[in-house]
Amino acid sequence: MVVLNVNIDHVATVRQARRTDEPDPVWAAVQCELAGANGITIHLRQDRRHICDRDVRLLKETVACKLNLEMCMAGPIVRIAEQIRPDQITLVPEKRVELTTEGGLDCVRHKKRLLQVVKRMHKKGILVSTFIAPDKEQIIASAQTGCDAIELHTGMYANAKTQRAIRKRLTELERGRDLAMENKLVVHAGHGLTYRNIADVARIKGLCEFNIGHSIVARAVFVGIRQATAQMIELINKSELK
Ligand code: PXP
């Protein structure tokens, strides 16, 4: 069964636009859970442009389903994860000027640091996932450093315009899934997934978890976040049955 983690960063983006106290991502998380989400995902960025330390602390206290903390491997952020102890962390690259996480993490280049972070997280009982492109080297490096899971970057799939390009990206995701599973990694997927493009990815067997943010929060402006979450869950479940 594929489960949905709702990424609620952009609820905090709206709050930060006015540096006020609403809308509160903690309220959003409650609504997502009530709609049937299996997890809540938040990215504590070094620049704190949306989610801030207070959100992470309160969400740890209030989220009853899985709390997945997206983060880079910088020392101060790793120490916060050790203190807060989310259920899972997803390691992402982070550039200060980017609009959102752009590429996947380079696990080959940062293998030494990744090994240290994985050990520190495992000591605290936290699962580790890496957000990576469906590349052989990245998958192998994630397995060799002891990660529990990988999140396959679906951005290239989401940006594909023609049927041929879409098919090519889906095949890459399927190959990535196969290699990851051979290497005993749990497989997640996310980035750029929407109500329009979720069906084809949700049909890929073996993907266990989707992290979806922007599209759900965008729809929530019109229908509310509980309904927006429920609609995405319904689409995932329907596609899986096909
Ligand atoms: N997965 C990861 C690792 C991400 O960094 C993001 C964006 O924060 C997402 C999933 C969600 O992407 P989107 O907001 O496009 O659904």
Side-chain angles (χ1 to χ4, degrees), residues 7 9-10 41-43 45 50 68 70 90-93 100-103 130-132 151-154 189-194 210-216:
N7 180 318
D9 290 348
H10 293 314
T41 295
I42 44 172
H43 183 175
R45 294 184 66 100
H50 39 53
N68 174 38
E70 276 181 24
T90 299
L91 293 168
V92 299
T100 176
T101 314
E102 280 165 2
T130 52
F131 179 55
I132 56 172
E151 179 177 333
L152 291 174
H153 194 322
T154 49
H191 211 282
L193 296 176
T194 68
F210 289 131
N211 286 296
I212 308 180
H214 184 266
S215 191
I216 294 176

Short mmCIF file of all heavy atoms in Angstrom, two decimals, residues 7 9-10 41-43 45 50 68 70 90-93 100-103 130-132 151-154 189-194 210-216, ligand 1:
data_model
loop_
_atom_site.label_atom_id
_atom_site.label_comp_id
_atom_site.label_asym_id
_atom_site.label_seq_id
_atom_site.Cartn_x
_atom_site.Cartn_y
_atom_site.Cartn_z
N ASN A 7 3.33 17.32 2.66
CA ASN A 7 4.35 18.32 2.99
C ASN A 7 3.66 19.66 3.22
O ASN A 7 3.04 20.22 2.30
CB ASN A 7 5.34 18.41 1.81
CG ASN A 7 6.44 19.42 2.08
OD1 ASN A 7 6.19 20.50 2.60
ND2 ASN A 7 7.66 19.08 1.71
N ASP A 9 4.99 22.57 4.24
CA ASP A 9 5.89 23.75 4.23
C ASP A 9 5.18 25.03 3.79
O ASP A 9 5.40 26.11 4.34
CB ASP A 9 7.06 23.54 3.26
CG ASP A 9 8.04 22.50 3.73
OD1 ASP A 9 7.96 22.08 4.90
OD2 ASP A 9 8.90 22.09 2.92
N HIS A 10 4.33 24.87 2.73
CA HIS A 10 3.78 26.10 2.16
C HIS A 10 2.63 26.71 2.97
O HIS A 10 2.23 27.83 2.72
CB HIS A 10 3.40 25.89 0.69
CG HIS A 10 4.64 25.67 -0.14
ND1 HIS A 10 5.75 26.46 0.00
CD2 HIS A 10 4.95 24.73 -1.05
CE1 HIS A 10 6.70 26.02 -0.81
NE2 HIS A 10 6.24 24.97 -1.46
N THR A 41 5.20 15.85 6.41
CA THR A 41 6.58 16.17 6.05
C THR A 41 6.81 17.66 6.18
O THR A 41 5.96 18.47 5.79
CB THR A 41 6.86 15.71 4.59
OG1 THR A 41 6.77 14.29 4.54
CG2 THR A 41 8.24 16.13 4.13
N ILE A 42 7.96 18.00 6.75
CA ILE A 42 8.34 19.41 6.87
C ILE A 42 9.82 19.54 6.55
O ILE A 42 10.59 18.62 6.83
CB ILE A 42 8.08 19.97 8.30
CG1 ILE A 42 8.56 18.96 9.36
CG2 ILE A 42 6.61 20.32 8.48
CD1 ILE A 42 8.53 19.50 10.78
N HIS A 43 10.20 20.65 5.97
CA HIS A 43 11.61 20.89 5.66
C HIS A 43 12.08 22.06 6.50
O HIS A 43 11.64 23.20 6.31
CB HIS A 43 11.74 21.21 4.16
CG HIS A 43 13.14 21.40 3.69
ND1 HIS A 43 13.44 21.59 2.36
CD2 HIS A 43 14.33 21.42 4.34
CE1 HIS A 43 14.76 21.73 2.22
NE2 HIS A 43 15.32 21.64 3.42
N ARG A 45 14.59 24.42 6.73
CA ARG A 45 15.71 24.96 5.94
C ARG A 45 16.62 25.80 6.82
O ARG A 45 16.19 26.36 7.83
CB ARG A 45 15.17 25.83 4.79
CG ARG A 45 14.39 25.06 3.74
CD ARG A 45 13.99 26.00 2.62
NE ARG A 45 15.17 26.46 1.91
CZ ARG A 45 15.59 25.97 0.75
NH1 ARG A 45 14.90 25.02 0.15
NH2 ARG A 45 16.67 26.42 0.18
N HIS A 50 10.30 28.99 5.69
CA HIS A 50 8.91 28.63 5.98
C HIS A 50 8.80 27.96 7.35
O HIS A 50 8.39 28.59 8.31
CB HIS A 50 8.26 27.82 4.83
CG HIS A 50 9.13 26.81 4.14
ND1 HIS A 50 9.81 25.84 4.81
CD2 HIS A 50 9.39 26.62 2.81
CE1 HIS A 50 10.45 25.09 3.94
NE2 HIS A 50 10.24 25.55 2.71
N ASN A 68 8.10 13.21 9.18
CA ASN A 68 9.27 13.10 8.30
C ASN A 68 9.91 14.48 8.17
O ASN A 68 9.28 15.40 7.67
CB ASN A 68 8.79 12.58 6.93
CG ASN A 68 9.89 12.56 5.89
OD1 ASN A 68 11.05 12.24 6.18
ND2 ASN A 68 9.56 12.89 4.66
N GLU A 70 12.52 16.78 6.48
CA GLU A 70 13.48 16.98 5.39
C GLU A 70 14.56 17.93 5.88
O GLU A 70 14.24 18.95 6.51
CB GLU A 70 12.79 17.65 4.20
CG GLU A 70 12.07 16.73 3.30
CD GLU A 70 11.45 17.53 2.14
OE1 GLU A 70 11.92 18.61 1.81
OE2 GLU A 70 10.46 17.03 1.61
N THR A 90 14.59 12.90 5.84
CA THR A 90 14.90 12.75 4.41
C THR A 90 15.97 13.78 4.10
O THR A 90 15.76 14.98 4.27
CB THR A 90 13.65 12.97 3.54
OG1 THR A 90 12.68 11.96 3.89
CG2 THR A 90 13.99 12.82 2.06
N LEU A 91 17.13 13.29 3.70
CA LEU A 91 18.27 14.18 3.45
C LEU A 91 18.19 14.76 2.05
O LEU A 91 18.04 14.02 1.06
CB LEU A 91 19.57 13.41 3.66
CG LEU A 91 19.80 13.00 5.12
CD1 LEU A 91 20.96 12.00 5.23
CD2 LEU A 91 20.06 14.22 6.01
N VAL A 92 18.27 16.07 1.99
CA VAL A 92 18.16 16.79 0.71
C VAL A 92 19.33 17.75 0.58
O VAL A 92 19.91 18.18 1.58
CB VAL A 92 16.83 17.59 0.63
CG1 VAL A 92 15.62 16.69 0.72
CG2 VAL A 92 16.76 18.67 1.71
N PRO A 93 19.68 18.12 -0.67
CA PRO A 93 20.68 19.18 -0.82
C PRO A 93 19.97 20.51 -0.58
O PRO A 93 18.75 20.57 -0.67
CB PRO A 93 21.09 19.04 -2.29
CG PRO A 93 19.89 18.47 -2.95
CD PRO A 93 19.18 17.64 -1.95
N THR A 100 12.82 25.88 -4.51
CA THR A 100 12.50 24.66 -3.79
C THR A 100 13.70 23.74 -3.98
O THR A 100 14.63 24.10 -4.69
CB THR A 100 11.20 24.03 -4.33
OG1 THR A 100 10.97 22.78 -3.65
CG2 THR A 100 11.26 23.75 -5.83
N THR A 101 13.69 22.56 -3.33
CA THR A 101 14.82 21.64 -3.51
C THR A 101 14.91 21.31 -5.00
O THR A 101 13.95 20.81 -5.58
CB THR A 101 14.57 20.34 -2.71
OG1 THR A 101 14.13 20.70 -1.41
CG2 THR A 101 15.82 19.52 -2.61
N GLU A 102 16.06 21.60 -5.60
CA GLU A 102 16.12 21.46 -7.06
C GLU A 102 16.57 20.08 -7.52
O GLU A 102 15.83 19.37 -8.15
CB GLU A 102 17.00 22.57 -7.65
CG GLU A 102 16.21 23.87 -7.76
CD GLU A 102 17.08 25.08 -7.98
OE1 GLU A 102 18.31 24.94 -8.09
OE2 GLU A 102 16.52 26.18 -8.01
N GLY A 103 17.78 19.70 -7.19
CA GLY A 103 18.24 18.38 -7.63
C GLY A 103 18.20 17.40 -6.48
O GLY A 103 17.74 17.73 -5.38
N THR A 130 17.21 9.14 1.65
CA THR A 130 17.93 10.15 0.86
C THR A 130 17.08 10.51 -0.36
O THR A 130 16.51 9.62 -1.01
CB THR A 130 19.29 9.62 0.36
OG1 THR A 130 19.08 8.37 -0.30
CG2 THR A 130 20.28 9.47 1.49
N PHE A 131 17.01 11.78 -0.65
CA PHE A 131 16.26 12.27 -1.81
C PHE A 131 17.21 12.29 -3.00
O PHE A 131 18.12 13.13 -3.04
CB PHE A 131 15.74 13.67 -1.49
CG PHE A 131 14.97 14.32 -2.60
CD1 PHE A 131 13.86 13.70 -3.16
CD2 PHE A 131 15.31 15.58 -3.07
CE1 PHE A 131 13.12 14.31 -4.17
CE2 PHE A 131 14.58 16.20 -4.07
CZ PHE A 131 13.49 15.56 -4.62
N ILE A 132 17.03 11.36 -3.92
CA ILE A 132 18.02 11.20 -5.00
C ILE A 132 17.36 11.01 -6.37
O ILE A 132 16.22 10.57 -6.48
CB ILE A 132 18.96 9.99 -4.73
CG1 ILE A 132 18.15 8.70 -4.53
CG2 ILE A 132 19.88 10.25 -3.56
CD1 ILE A 132 18.99 7.44 -4.45
N GLU A 151 14.21 8.37 -1.47
CA GLU A 151 13.04 9.01 -2.09
C GLU A 151 13.45 9.33 -3.52
O GLU A 151 14.35 10.16 -3.75
CB GLU A 151 12.64 10.28 -1.34
CG GLU A 151 11.44 10.96 -2.01
CD GLU A 151 10.96 12.20 -1.26
OE1 GLU A 151 11.15 12.30 -0.03
OE2 GLU A 151 10.38 13.08 -1.92
N LEU A 152 12.83 8.68 -4.48
CA LEU A 152 13.15 8.94 -5.88
C LEU A 152 12.58 10.29 -6.29
O LEU A 152 11.40 10.59 -6.05
CB LEU A 152 12.59 7.83 -6.77
CG LEU A 152 13.27 6.47 -6.63
CD1 LEU A 152 12.53 5.42 -7.46
CD2 LEU A 152 14.74 6.52 -7.06
N HIS A 153 13.43 11.11 -6.89
CA HIS A 153 13.07 12.46 -7.33
C HIS A 153 12.17 12.35 -8.57
O HIS A 153 12.60 11.88 -9.61
CB HIS A 153 14.36 13.19 -7.67
CG HIS A 153 14.23 14.67 -7.81
ND1 HIS A 153 13.16 15.28 -8.40
CD2 HIS A 153 15.07 15.67 -7.44
CE1 HIS A 153 13.33 16.58 -8.38
NE2 HIS A 153 14.48 16.85 -7.81
N THR A 154 10.93 12.78 -8.43
CA THR A 154 9.99 12.66 -9.55
C THR A 154 9.87 13.96 -10.36
O THR A 154 9.00 14.09 -11.22
CB THR A 154 8.59 12.25 -9.04
OG1 THR A 154 8.23 13.10 -7.93
CG2 THR A 154 8.55 10.81 -8.59
N ALA A 189 8.82 8.32 -3.07
CA ALA A 189 8.92 9.16 -4.26
C ALA A 189 8.29 10.52 -3.98
O ALA A 189 7.39 10.63 -3.15
CB ALA A 189 8.21 8.50 -5.45
N GLY A 190 8.77 11.54 -4.66
CA GLY A 190 8.17 12.85 -4.48
C GLY A 190 8.85 13.94 -5.26
O GLY A 190 9.94 13.77 -5.78
N HIS A 191 8.18 15.05 -5.32
CA HIS A 191 8.56 16.32 -5.95
C HIS A 191 7.80 16.54 -7.25
O HIS A 191 7.88 15.73 -8.16
CB HIS A 191 10.06 16.45 -6.21
CG HIS A 191 10.51 17.89 -6.13
ND1 HIS A 191 10.29 18.78 -7.13
CD2 HIS A 191 11.09 18.57 -5.12
CE1 HIS A 191 10.74 19.96 -6.75
NE2 HIS A 191 11.23 19.87 -5.54
N GLY A 192 7.05 17.61 -7.28
CA GLY A 192 6.32 17.99 -8.49
C GLY A 192 5.10 17.14 -8.76
O GLY A 192 4.51 17.25 -9.83
N LEU A 193 4.69 16.31 -7.82
CA LEU A 193 3.51 15.45 -8.07
C LEU A 193 2.24 16.27 -7.84
O LEU A 193 2.16 17.07 -6.90
CB LEU A 193 3.55 14.22 -7.17
CG LEU A 193 4.74 13.28 -7.45
CD1 LEU A 193 4.78 12.13 -6.46
CD2 LEU A 193 4.71 12.75 -8.88
N THR A 194 1.27 16.04 -8.72
CA THR A 194 0.03 16.82 -8.68
C THR A 194 -1.18 15.89 -8.86
O THR A 194 -1.01 14.69 -9.15
CB THR A 194 -0.02 17.85 -9.83
OG1 THR A 194 -0.14 17.13 -11.07
CG2 THR A 194 1.21 18.73 -9.89
N PHE A 210 4.60 8.54 -0.72
CA PHE A 210 4.72 9.75 -1.55
C PHE A 210 4.78 10.97 -0.64
O PHE A 210 4.03 11.07 0.32
CB PHE A 210 3.50 9.92 -2.46
CG PHE A 210 3.45 8.92 -3.58
CD1 PHE A 210 2.29 8.22 -3.83
CD2 PHE A 210 4.56 8.69 -4.37
CE1 PHE A 210 2.23 7.29 -4.86
CE2 PHE A 210 4.51 7.78 -5.41
CZ PHE A 210 3.34 7.07 -5.65
N ASN A 211 5.67 11.89 -0.99
CA ASN A 211 5.73 13.18 -0.30
C ASN A 211 5.22 14.24 -1.27
O ASN A 211 5.86 14.49 -2.29
CB ASN A 211 7.16 13.50 0.12
CG ASN A 211 7.58 12.64 1.29
OD1 ASN A 211 7.01 12.75 2.38
ND2 ASN A 211 8.53 11.76 1.08
N ILE A 212 4.08 14.82 -0.95
CA ILE A 212 3.46 15.79 -1.86
C ILE A 212 3.08 17.04 -1.07
O ILE A 212 2.45 16.95 -0.01
CB ILE A 212 2.21 15.20 -2.55
CG1 ILE A 212 2.55 13.84 -3.20
CG2 ILE A 212 1.64 16.17 -3.59
CD1 ILE A 212 1.40 13.16 -3.92
N GLY A 213 3.50 18.20 -1.61
CA GLY A 213 3.26 19.43 -0.89
C GLY A 213 2.51 20.48 -1.67
O GLY A 213 1.33 20.75 -1.44
N HIS A 214 3.19 21.08 -2.65
CA HIS A 214 2.69 22.29 -3.30
C HIS A 214 1.28 22.11 -3.86
O HIS A 214 0.41 22.96 -3.65
CB HIS A 214 3.67 22.73 -4.39
CG HIS A 214 3.28 24.00 -5.03
ND1 HIS A 214 2.53 24.04 -6.19
CD2 HIS A 214 3.48 25.29 -4.67
CE1 HIS A 214 2.31 25.30 -6.50
NE2 HIS A 214 2.88 26.08 -5.60
N SER A 215 1.07 21.02 -4.57
CA SER A 215 -0.22 20.82 -5.23
C SER A 215 -1.36 20.71 -4.20
O SER A 215 -2.45 21.26 -4.42
CB SER A 215 -0.14 19.56 -6.09
OG SER A 215 -1.23 19.46 -6.94
N ILE A 216 -1.10 20.03 -3.10
CA ILE A 216 -2.14 19.87 -2.07
C ILE A 216 -2.44 21.21 -1.39
O ILE A 216 -3.60 21.59 -1.21
CB ILE A 216 -1.73 18.79 -1.03
CG1 ILE A 216 -1.66 17.42 -1.70
CG2 ILE A 216 -2.69 18.79 0.17
CD1 ILE A 216 -1.18 16.29 -0.80
N1 PXP B 1 10.20 15.58 -1.55
C1 PXP B 1 11.26 16.39 -1.28
C2 PXP B 1 12.54 15.77 -0.87
C3 PXP B 1 11.14 17.79 -1.36
O1 PXP B 1 12.20 18.57 -1.10
C4 PXP B 1 9.89 18.35 -1.68
C5 PXP B 1 9.72 19.83 -1.74
O2 PXP B 1 9.85 20.35 -0.46
C6 PXP B 1 8.82 17.47 -1.93
C7 PXP B 1 9.01 16.09 -1.89
C8 PXP B 1 7.46 17.97 -2.26
O3 PXP B 1 7.47 18.55 -3.51
P1 PXP B 1 6.18 19.34 -4.02
O4 PXP B 1 6.00 20.51 -3.11
O5 PXP B 1 6.54 19.70 -5.41
O6 PXP B 1 5.03 18.37 -3.92
#
